[in-house]
Amino acid sequence: MATTASQEAFLRTFHAEHPAVTAEAFSRGRAPDGRSSYEILRDRVAGSRHVLDVGCGDGLLLELLAQTNGRQLAGLDLSAESLMLARGRLPLSGARLEQGRAQALPFPDDTFDACVSHMALMLMGEIEQVAAEVSRVLSPGGVLACVVGGGAVGGEAYDRFLGLLLSTLEGMPSSQRIPRLGDRRTRSRDGLDEILGPVGFAEVEWETVPIDLSGPVQQVWASVSGLYDLGPLDQATVEELRKAFFAEARELTTSNGRVPCAFKVHVATARLR
């Protein structure tokens, strides 16, 4: 199994080349109520005044959080390039944005009343240490709210893409495969309870939400091709994968030119006792 150091080295390299990839891939997606997964997370901490975003990337979620006047915001990310984009967002001019590791948060104890993480907690190694650090910087009663990936809905373009990707990767050497990222326990309610309970969090609240990414085939491809697995692949292999996906998508395309595409996210919330 890959070490945390090798996992983080891969993530730094990938995000140096694709600093806004997560926001570009998923910000267009909408839940049945019309919100993006970023907006769902924003709303989970609606009453909080001091908020930390762990794995803040290019700062999209922080910018949404900044819509509440008077909020004090902080963000942390491994990627210097992603943070550069975050610092360029005008609403974040007063936010504290730090490059660093979630296993060693550069903030004092009891600094925040909420911590959020969008599609990032699930990528982190040494997850017990991450949980301990989040618990340390939260005040009693503070909330951790995170979005983690939940996989394909089934029968739509995202499902088809994952099948094509798996077939592509089967014959690839290890040099063109990503390290195993994160801890699988972060993707289930019981697993998160196992991680968070020992550091003082109450039972996790858990909701599974479908996210619709449907649209023209080129737009759908732009979303699904943001997965980390494509990072080590050479350009010719990615192009073959794109052609195969477009061929599959033609079978799914509706009369109005839209390709149905959806995936699930899990929204987890836990309060510090």
Side-chain angles (χ1 to χ4, degrees):
M1 184 173 176
T3 65
T4 300
S6 65
Q7 294 168 350
E8 292 178 0
F10 167 77
L11 291 169
R12 284 193 184 96
T13 299
F14 184 91
H15 285 286
E17 298 180 16
H18 311 282
V21 64
T22 307
E24 289 170 351
F26 299 126
S27 61
R28 288 189 297 268
R30 290 293 179 268
D33 65 8
R35 291 180 297 170
S36 71
S37 52
Y38 292 93
E39 291 167 331
I40 291 171
L41 208 49
R42 173 202 61 192
D43 294 345
R44 288 297 176 96
V45 296
S48 302
R49 306 301 298 175
H50 301 82
V51 185
L52 168 65
D53 185 353
V54 176
C56 65
D58 72 331
L60 175 58
L61 178 54
L62 284 170
E63 184 169 314
L64 291 172
L65 290 164
Q67 292 171 351
T68 297
N69 291 332
R71 227 175 213 159
Q72 295 186 25
L73 299 172
L76 177 119
D77 204 89
L78 284 172
S79 170
E81 292 79 7
S82 295
L83 285 170
M84 186 179 300
L85 295 179
R87 293 187 179 105
R89 293 180 183 267
L90 188 60
L92 302 185
S93 59
R96 179 179 173 184
L97 301 175
E98 298 278 354
Q99 184 179 6
R101 305 175 65 242
Q103 296 85 352
L105 294 174
F107 306 103
D109 297 0
D110 301 335
T111 302
F112 305 100
D113 54 1
C115 175
V116 294
S117 184
H118 184 277
M119 302 287 277
L121 190 73
M122 64 189 195
L123 304 174
M124 297 175 186
E126 301 171 16
I127 195 65
E128 287 88 357
Q129 180 61 24
V130 175
E133 281 291 276
V134 171
S135 174
R136 178 183 64 78
V137 301
L138 280 177
S139 302
V143 65
L144 168 64
C146 59
V147 164
V148 298
V153 170
E156 297 188 347
Y158 189 69
D159 194 28
R160 299 279 189 103
F161 172 76
L162 292 179
L164 291 169
L165 179 61
L166 181 61
S167 297
T168 299
L169 295 176
E170 280 178 352
M172 290 293 162
S174 58
S175 61
Q176 290 191 278
R177 290 174 174 265
I178 67 172
R180 186 174 179 180
L181 298 173
D183 190 309
R184 294 296 303 179
R185 292 176 296 167
T186 59
R187 296 173 183 257
S188 73
R189 182 178 186 172
D190 289 345
L192 271 179
D193 276 331
E194 181 181 323
I195 294 163
L196 297 175
V199 294
F201 284 92
E203 188 173 289
V204 171
E205 296 179 14
W206 186 262
E207 181 183 7
T208 300
V209 181
I211 300 294
D212 185 10
L213 290 166
S214 301
V217 63
Q218 192 66 52
Q219 178 180 304
V220 171
W221 168 254
S223 293
V224 300
S225 63
L227 292 186
Y228 290 114
D229 300 83
L230 274 69
L233 300 179
D234 60 76
Q235 187 173 353
T237 301
V238 173
E239 178 59 19
E240 287 302 311
L241 180 60
R242 188 191 69 81
K243 289 178 180 178
F245 175 74
F246 273 52
E248 293 267 353
R250 276 196 294 271
E251 300 177 13
L252 300 172
T253 303
T254 62
S255 58
N256 62 358
R258 290 174 64 82
V259 177
C261 182
F263 74 111
K264 294 177 289 187
V265 297
H266 304 305
V267 185
T269 308
R271 194 167 293 279
L272 192 65
R273 296 187 182 94

